[in-house]
Amino acid sequence: MSKVAVTGAAGFIGSHVCRALVAAGYDVVGVDNFDPFYPRRIKEAAISELKRARGFALVECDVADVEVLQRAIAGSDVVIHLAGRPGVRDSIVAPEFHSRLNAGGTLCALEAARKEGVQRFVFASSSSVYGNAVDYLFREDETAAEAISPYGASKRTAELLCDIYSALHGIAIASLRLFSVYGPGLRPDLAIQKFSRAIDSGEPLFQYGSGDSQRDYTFVSDVVRGVLAAVGWTENRSAGHEIFNLGTSRPIALSYLIRLLGDLFGRTPIIEVVAEQPGDVRRTCADIIKSKQILGYDPHVTIEEGLPLFLEWFREQNGYTKNVAC
Ligand SMILES: NC(=O)c1ccc[n+]([C@@H]2O[C@H](COP(=O)([O-])OP(=O)(O)OC[C@H]3O[C@@H](n4cnc5c(N)ncnc54)[C@H](O)[C@@H]3O)[C@@H](O)[C@H]2O)c1
């Protein structure tokens, strides 16, 4: 049976990836340091069932501790590196964390993989590397790729480190540029969570800008399938580093997202319009032709289908009876 190491296992995306791997019969070792970016209890809840599952073990450690990480990933066929500090706005307030945890953390994970002889690596990069790209669709070979936040820059730096480790050490690496992932277990700092809390409690929500900014929201199960496809892709390669977009090519306007959430809650959102935030891009939209062709990636959950699934989870967290409308 294949053994897979997943860093950031207790996080939003990591916990979904680990569940899918365990369900697919992989032996999984999850690594997480329960970084205080958001409360530990949320991460504990995300992996509570996993911790009881056969085929899953959790090692609590910082990826920067390369020796401990090496012991954790020993014997793994592939490392899926999801640990990092997300958040564009946070990166402007605390850029040092983003450089250390995203660029530095990826270097540590690559180094641990090299030292343990793990020849396959999958890395969670971000659509933020594109900045305000001019083309409508963001392509992986986009020459104008220019991050406009420390977060985007830290992910681009990590991609370059992947280039180097692949070339120098013959590791097969897939970097996945994730586009606004959402779904059950969503991080509390993200817009869909913040808007939902505000609408639910009848408080005003803050809309940054006029509402015409757009995001390519991608449902977490589609992303998980993309991650597993990338794991499969590394298996058939002896080396090389490829970048893949995991988005949908269907960007959603902010005003439409808020309206949809209001409809789902059965309430009219109270909207307070505030200035656009520095570091926020105007639009994201993934070109997924390469991911489709090479990985067989095929996202199919629309925002109209995915938001109710998020909301079902949100309501469970907030003490609602399942499926009972507000
Ligand atoms: N959620 C998105 O929309 C999105 C979009 C693009 C990229 N990404 C990237 O995907 C990855 C997962 O994102 P997420 O939304 O699940 O975030 P998350 O914060 O929920 O998960 C990250 C996990 O990594 C852990 N972690 C952080 N630093 C660590 C360290 N030094 N050592 C060990 N563990 C550490 C955290 O405790 C957390 O559990 C991140 O690298 C993020 O940058 C996410």
Side-chain angles (χ1 to χ4, degrees), residues 186-269:
L186 188 65
R187 288 199 335 256
D189 60 301
L190 291 174
I192 290 177
Q193 265 269 25
K194 290 202 282 195
F195 293 163
S196 296
R197 288 198 298 270
I199 297 170
D200 188 36
S201 56
E203 304 280 329
L205 61 81
F206 297 106
Q207 173 187 297
Y208 295 101
S210 64
D212 64 354
S213 62
Q214 297 182 343
R215 289 287 175 277
D216 190 343
Y217 278 107
T218 314
F219 194 69
V220 67
S221 61
D222 284 330
V223 169
V224 168
R225 276 191 292 275
V227 172
L228 265 63
V231 167
W233 175 82
T234 59
E235 194 171 5
N236 303 320
R237 315 236 344 151
S238 53
H241 175 214
E242 289 288 343
I243 295 175
F244 300 99
N245 285 337
L246 296 186
T248 70
S249 307
R250 293 185 300 260
I252 301 298
L254 178 58
S255 53
Y256 180 64
L257 175 74
I258 294 171
R259 202 166 61 243
L260 263 182
L261 278 171
D263 290 348
L264 287 166
F265 276 100
R267 292 184 177 182
T268 305

Side-chain angles (χ1 to χ4, degrees), residues 8 10-14 31-35 37-38 43 61-64 82-86 101 124-127 151 155 178-181 187 190:
F12 162 45
I13 299 170
V31 172
D32 206 294
N33 72 343
F34 295 88
D35 175 278
F37 180 50
Y38 62 89
K43 300 178 187 183
C61 89
D62 192 316
V63 295
L82 306 175
R85 172 62 71 97
L101 300 179
S125 185
S126 167
S127 61
Y151 173 65
K155 288 292 187 183
L178 311 184
F179 282 68
S180 302
V181 189
R187 288 199 335 256
L190 291 174

